Amino acid sequence: MDHNPILCIIPPYMLENMVEKGSTKIRKAALQTIKQSSHVRMERSMMAEQPGTDPQSMVAGIAHHSEKLYRRVYNAKNQEILPGSLVRSEGDKPTGDVTADEAYDGAGHTWDLYKNEYDRNSIDDHGMIIDQTVHHGVNYNNAFWNGKQMIYGDGDEEIFTRFTIDLDIIGHELTHGVIQYEANLRYWYQSGALNESFADVFGSLVKQKKANHQVKDADWLIGRNVLMGNQYALRSMKAPGTAYQGHPVLGNDPQPATMDDYLELPPWDDNGGVHINSGIPNHAFYLAAVEIGGNAWQKAGLIWYVTLRDKLKRNANFSKAARATIHTARDLFGKNSLEEKAVKKAWKEVKVIQ
């Protein structure tokens, strides 16, 4: 089990396929990404083992104790340094670097969803400054939350492009920070898949709110642009297992949509399948949101947020999450309400509950 996970948007099985089937450039970029991720993981482990280190202090960013948004974007200049050179602070004009400006804007849209819909004051609910580093490493094929800040690679421009290109990726990774300060879901097996799913849910909702899409208008895809090729995305919440099919290097999307196809994996394989089996709770959220209708962030999103904030424990599994979201829907909207029935029906359809 990984006690200090690096919460990346690209799962290890994608990188492994790139090593096995990619060109020399793709293989090299994938190996370098794996190496860099291991290096960051080691740094986190060393921090955790320092005498007197409070585990929560590892995930504590800088709070400025304000109800206002405050962002900082740094440029690593393709080195593996953090945070890098400060290039844009809150209120500064655009830099002209599309990656830095996408990170800046994406953090703003994420903050806006949490603040204006759920009355959350930044990542930690205490006004944390949102720090982000762009241009991390050379051809780095990932984006991740390291416990304190966001880091984005530029991609190899053959399989992946820059990781700031999709607003839902930014929202996903920053939500890993929110999860740390709330349920702090353990990053393995079903609790880890829930961790990934909650990040996908709110990443999608950040994108949907920015576009003002109702449930019927949303594409329900995660990473539609970062995975190069018009027919590909990283994940589909509407139809898990269909985000990318027949990709010449990555193969087919392995995500299940229901418990019938749940993958029993060892702990060393994607931490027990956290990126793969997250398709099941992802699909449950999609089904609930569609049944409720309207803007997904207003009711379905509120149910999931309050559940994350108030109801889930660190080792929660799918069935506990199902019961918790059903209870939250009842608390918020009433017994036998449309919302409660929709959430219960969704978890039944993915066969988590009977």
Side-chain angles (χ1 to χ4, degrees), residues 30-338:
L31 286 168
Q32 186 64 15
T33 299
I34 293 168
K35 179 182 176 183
Q36 288 173 336
S37 297
S38 297
H39 177 69
V40 176
R41 185 176 293 109
M42 187 179 298
E43 285 184 336
R44 288 200 72 198
S45 297
M46 291 173 66
M47 286 172 59
E49 291 169 3
Q50 288 176 359
T53 299
D54 181 347
Q56 274 299 325
S57 72
M58 283 183 58
V59 299
I62 299 172
H64 61 131
H65 303 292
S66 169
E67 293 293 322
K68 293 182 180 180
L69 168 64
Y70 198 92
R71 295 162 282 186
R72 293 186 297 211
V73 180
Y74 298 84
N75 187 347
K77 300 178 182 178
N78 298 120
Q79 299 180 62
E80 298 173 35
I81 56 172
L82 293 176
S85 302
L86 182 64
V87 293
R88 190 174 180 186
S89 293
E90 189 61 40
D92 290 349
K93 294 179 180 179
T95 65
D97 176 345
V98 64
T99 303
D101 294 331
E102 284 172 342
Y104 181 91
D105 292 341
H109 295 309
T110 303
W111 184 94
D112 174 71
L113 174 78
Y114 280 108
K115 179 62 177 174
N116 293 315
E117 297 301 325
Y118 312 129
D119 195 31
R120 185 178 189 85
N121 184 15
S122 193
I123 304 303
D124 63 348
D125 203 22
H126 292 288
M128 178 192 283
I129 295 173
I130 302 177
D131 284 333
Q132 304 180 95
T133 295
V134 298
H135 303 304
H136 174 78
V138 177
N139 298 328
Y140 185 68
N141 279 321
N142 232 323
F144 63 95
W145 170 261
N146 77 344
K148 293 183 177 180
Q149 68 159 97
M150 271 306 306
I151 295 96
Y152 304 94
D154 292 327
D156 56 24
E157 292 299 333
E158 288 196 26
I159 303 295
F160 298 108
T161 188
R162 66 187 187 276
F163 281 82
T164 55
I165 195 171
D166 285 305
L167 178 57
D168 46 30
I169 288 179
I170 296 172
H172 169 109
E173 290 300 330
L174 289 172
T175 294
H176 277 307
V178 174
I179 293 165
Q180 282 184 323
Y181 282 96
E182 298 301 340
N184 196 21
L185 292 159
R186 200 173 206 172
Y187 203 66
W188 72 326
Y189 293 101
Q190 288 192 13
S191 58
L194 286 170
N195 196 315
E196 282 297 323
S197 179
F198 273 97
D200 274 352
V201 163
F202 290 101
S204 182
L205 294 183
V206 170
K207 181 173 71 171
Q208 290 181 40
K209 186 173 190 294
K210 168 63 168 56
N212 196 27
H213 280 164
Q214 294 197 341
V215 291
K216 65 182 187 299
D217 304 317
D219 63 16
W220 295 98
L221 297 172
I222 303 296
R224 186 175 187 175
N225 299 301
V226 73
L227 180 52
M228 300 175 73
N230 292 332
Q231 69 272 41
Y232 303 128
L234 297 181
R235 291 184 285 281
S236 171
M237 301 179 70
K238 180 178 181 178
T242 69
Y244 58 94
Q245 295 296 95
H247 191 284
V249 174
L250 301 178
N252 296 323
D253 177 4
Q255 279 206 316
T258 75
M259 289 301 290
D260 284 345
D261 298 311
Y262 181 87
L263 288 173
E264 296 281 358
L265 296 176
W268 58 84
D269 190 349
D270 189 31
N271 282 56
V274 298
H275 288 92
I276 295 177
N277 291 316
S278 60
I280 297 168
N282 273 3
H283 195 49
F285 179 83
Y286 162 79
L287 292 170
V290 169
E291 188 78 10
I292 293 168
N295 298 122
W297 61 85
Q298 292 180 330
K299 290 186 175 181
L302 179 62
I303 292 165
W304 255 246
Y305 174 72
V306 172
T307 299
L308 175 69
R309 187 190 66 191
D310 299 339
K311 301 281 181 73
L312 292 184
K313 302 298 184 183
R314 182 160 164 74
N315 290 313
N317 58 21
F318 290 176
S319 62
K320 289 178 180 177
R323 290 194 296 270
T325 51
I326 292 165
H327 290 159
T328 302
R330 183 185 306 159
D331 292 345
L332 292 173
F333 300 104
K335 187 175 182 179
N336 294 321
S337 61
L338 164 67

